[in-house]
Amino acid sequence: MTDQTPASWAAEGWAAGPASRTVTLGDLLRVPLHRLRLIGVTALVGLLGALGYVLLAGASVTANAVVAVRPVVTDAFSPSGAGADRSVNMNVESGIATGTDVVSALSRATGEDPVVVRELLQVEVPTGGQILRFTYQGDGADEAVDAVNLAAQTYLDVRRQMYEKQRADMLRSYDDSIAKVAKQQASLQKRVGGAKGSAAADAAVAELAGINNQLTQLNSSRTEIAAVDVNPGWITQRAEPALVTSDGKGALLLVAGLLGGVLLGVVLAYAWEAMDRRVRSVADARDATGLPLLGTVRRRRFRGRAQPVDADVRYVAMAVAERVGKPARVALLAAREDTTVLTAGLAVALAAGGREVFVADDSGRLDRLRGIVQTDRGRLPVPIPGRSSVPASRPSAEDDATAVIPIAGSARRPSPHPSPAPASTDPDATLTLPRIATAKTGTAKVGTVKTATATATGTGTGGSGSSNGIPVAGGAGGASRNGRAIDPDSLVVGTGRVGFGTWRQAADQKLVLFNAPPAEADERGVSAARQGTAVVVVERDRTRQSDLRRLVERLRAAGVTPLGFVLNRSGRG
């Protein structure tokens, strides 16, 4: 048959897609939704990490002790006034409670490092009160109780030692002053005893009285200092094992690990998407190819397996039939994916309208194609009489040589020159006549002839039967249809047939669908498209945009003008 001449390329090449497109919220959410496996793995890793930490580290136990702080006063029974917190600087007391002396005592008792002890020990100061609340976290209840009680008692001991040292220093200072004044008193007494004049004696007596008053004041002050109560406070609530509480952070850590894993997975999903861009929508495919959309094929679940929606495949077949003429060779090309399912579906949809479709494959997938066609033809809808769901292909110059001629008889002979005209939708009432030479006009055109007594019986030496009104092979001589031999390996689909074979066997076929191998590893699909045209098959979420652009560039360099692209797996039907 005559190969279709590929259309010439425009000087500026294919029309590219839009230069820029607004990124919507759906586009942003589409990336993590299509990388759910990665996000799920990272979330599981984060959850397992948090669970391992909880199991290995164990739940910590918290114990509390409360210490009431009192000011150091001379009279323990004197009221402290309304502003009791002003008598004691609670910020200083909190610093002493977490100071080096308390931390060192806890470190010696528990055997922990002072840095760790400082992190585990917490001191809280309620606003407006003279209370210190000690909190300690330990691995066990007994450890936490002993540590927090020891911290509270150590704080009181340290504070008492500080007060006692201050009192001892003050008493020592008073004792020194009293000793000096006592010496002065003894010296004056000697002067008074040795005075001979009344004036000298009166002066000595007056000075001695002043020394006696000073000594009396010093002794009185020392007595007050010695009477000071240096008790800094007392423990109002001691920690007990029955009062300890668990931190309860196990569930919180698990949730944090899960959320952290999800967040890490989302970040990795965007990073992966930036390095490995896939076709996610029709706009992505159109931007990458610059080709028109022939249709989108959704997926549906059928007996546990995902299969294309038949109606979507028939819509694609309508678009293909509208754009190709007869004869036509259409190569279904994909970058790395398998186009077998779509090729078989298109063959069934095109043959259901009365066409003879030949499916060619050179990659050893003919048995799989035949099986898919046998399965899909059982799901064909009931056709409307006299109407095809797929429009007829554009006629070629060779088809114009036929005409419809009514005949009164019912018997006919097989034509030695088969007509290339397509079969009628009513095969039981049509036949094709050969050209007939006449004396006046020379020849008459061959066409489709309606008969009143046409039957579905085949012609030939061996005879044949029929199936769905279509003659099938039988006997030794095979069968024929409109004068053309019928391939015994072909399948009847609706009012048409689907044949199978290699690309070389498709030389004399009118409508050929070539199930091309992946173009990234095999160039036979592009080579076959040079003899006709091509349909680019794009698998959503699988086809890489870089591979798709490379395939389009190769087709362009080979001089092929594809009909358009089909977006496969575009959703659920």
Side-chain angles (χ1 to χ4, degrees):
M1 76 181 195
T2 304
D3 295 336
Q4 183 178 2
T5 303
S8 60
W9 282 87
E12 64 276 6
W14 284 345
S20 61
R21 184 168 57 91
T22 303
V23 179
T24 62
L25 181 61
D27 297 331
L28 297 177
L29 295 178
R30 189 177 293 114
V31 174
L33 289 178
H34 292 304
R35 302 287 185 182
L36 286 179
R37 291 184 179 179
L38 175 62
I39 297 176
V41 170
T42 55
L44 181 61
V45 170
L47 182 61
L48 292 179
L51 181 61
Y53 176 79
V54 171
L55 295 178
L56 294 178
S60 59
V61 178
T62 303
N64 299 315
V66 179
V67 175
V69 182
R70 62 177 296 275
V72 178
V73 295
T74 303
D75 186 1
F77 299 99
S78 62
S80 57
D85 57 333
R86 297 180 182 178
S87 301
V88 180
N89 191 338
M90 297 304 298
N91 293 329
V92 175
E93 300 300 326
S94 176
I96 297 174
T98 57
T100 304
D101 295 335
V102 177
V103 172
S104 298
L106 286 178
S107 177
R108 290 191 299 269
T110 60
E112 296 287 348
D113 188 81
V115 178
V116 178
V117 173
R118 195 178 299 273
E119 294 178 355
L120 297 178
L121 179 62
Q122 301 291 334
V123 177
E124 300 177 0
V125 180
T127 303
Q130 295 182 180
I131 294 176
L132 293 178
R133 181 177 291 109
F134 288 80
T135 302
Y136 188 86
Q137 293 182 355
D139 295 335
D142 296 336
E143 177 184 355
V145 168
D146 296 340
V148 74
N149 289 333
L150 178 61
Q153 188 61 46
T154 303
Y155 158 73
L156 293 177
D157 294 341
V158 170
R159 201 72 180 98
R160 182 180 294 105
Q161 292 174 5
M162 295 175 61
Y163 286 147
E164 289 177 352
K165 183 179 179 180
Q166 292 176 1
R167 184 179 62 177
D169 293 340
M170 294 181 66
L171 290 176
R172 189 182 302 109
S173 176
Y174 275 108
D175 290 340
D176 294 340
S177 299
I178 291 173
K180 291 179 180 180
V181 174
K183 289 181 181 180
Q184 293 178 2
Q185 182 184 24
S187 176
L188 288 175
Q189 288 177 352
K190 289 180 180 181
R191 287 175 57 188
V192 172
K196 297 180 179 180
S198 59
D202 293 340
V205 170
E207 187 176 355
L208 180 61
I211 293 298
N212 290 335
N213 292 333
Q214 184 179 1
L215 184 60
T216 301
Q217 291 177 0
L218 289 175
N219 287 327
S220 177
S221 298
R222 186 186 184 284
T223 302
E224 292 179 358
I225 296 299
V228 171
D229 185 7
V230 295
N231 184 21
W234 54 90
I235 301 176
T236 59
Q237 178 181 347
R238 289 185 174 274
E240 297 180 2
L243 300 178
V244 298
T245 58
S246 179
D247 56 0
K249 294 181 179 179
L252 183 61
L253 290 175
L254 294 179
V255 174
L258 180 62
L259 295 179
V262 171
L263 180 60
L264 178 61
V266 171
V267 173
L268 292 179
Y270 279 106
W272 193 351
E273 184 70 16
M275 296 183 295
D276 184 16
R277 297 296 302 274
R278 303 293 179 100
V279 175
R280 305 298 185 188
S281 62
V282 174
D284 293 341
R286 185 181 291 112
D287 293 343
T289 61
L291 298 175
L293 175 66
L294 298 180
T296 58
V297 180
R298 296 167 294 173
R299 291 279 173 169
R300 65 181 179 90
R301 280 292 183 185
F302 182 75
R303 296 180 180 178
R305 295 182 300 175
Q307 293 184 355
V309 177
D310 297 335
D312 294 347
V313 177
R314 288 192 289 270
Y315 281 123
V316 174
M318 292 180 189
V320 172
E322 180 66 25
R323 287 168 172 79
V324 300
K326 292 181 60 178
R329 293 186 176 187
V330 182
L332 278 78
L333 284 166
R336 298 178 185 269
E337 295 74 28
D338 187 11
T339 60
T340 302
V341 176
L342 183 59
T343 303
L346 286 178
V348 172
L350 291 172
R355 296 177 180 80
E356 293 186 6
V357 183
F358 188 84
V359 179
D361 184 89
D362 293 343
S363 305
R365 296 173 290 182
L366 288 176
D367 293 338
R368 184 185 174 195
L369 286 167
R370 185 187 300 274
I372 297 175
V373 170
Q374 289 177 345
T375 303
D376 291 350
R377 68 175 179 175
R379 300 197 303 268
L380 287 175
V382 178
I384 300 176
R387 180 179 299 179
S388 173
S389 61
V390 179
S393 303
R394 296 180 179 179
S396 61
E398 186 179 356
D399 296 332
D400 294 338
T402 62
V404 178
I405 304 175
I407 300 179
S410 60
R412 63 181 179 88
R413 296 185 304 170
S415 173
H417 302 287
S419 172
S424 172
T425 57
D426 189 4
D428 295 337
T430 63
L431 57 88
T432 303
L433 292 183
R435 300 176 184 270
I436 302 175
T438 61
K440 295 182 180 180
T441 60
T443 59
K445 293 184 179 180
V446 180
T448 304
V449 183
K450 289 197 174 282
T451 63
T453 60
T455 62
T457 59
T459 60
T461 57
S464 64
S466 64
S467 174
N468 296 333
I470 305 298
V472 297
S480 64
R481 183 180 183 185
N482 291 341
R484 295 184 60 182
I486 297 177
D487 183 8
D489 295 333
S490 62
L491 298 176
V492 177
V493 178
T495 58
R497 303 185 71 88
V498 178
F500 303 92
T502 62
W503 179 252
R504 292 181 178 272
Q505 296 173 350
D508 59 343
Q509 301 295 329
K510 294 296 183 182
L511 181 56
V512 180
L513 296 180
F514 182 55
N515 188 34
E520 286 293 319
D522 200 319
E523 78 286 349
R524 285 177 292 179
V526 178
S527 177
R530 294 182 62 191
Q531 304 178 29
T533 185
V535 172
V536 178
V537 180
V538 182
E539 295 281 345
R540 197 191 72 169
D541 301 334
R542 292 188 178 183
T543 302
R544 294 184 174 90
Q545 295 188 16
S546 58
D547 295 342
L548 185 58
R549 291 191 184 95
R550 186 162 47 249
L551 173 59
V552 172
E553 290 172 358
R554 287 171 176 172
L555 288 172
R556 177 178 181 178
V560 180
T561 305
L563 300 177
F565 71 92
V566 177
L567 184 62
N568 208 2
R569 298 176 182 271
S570 63
R572 294 183 179 180

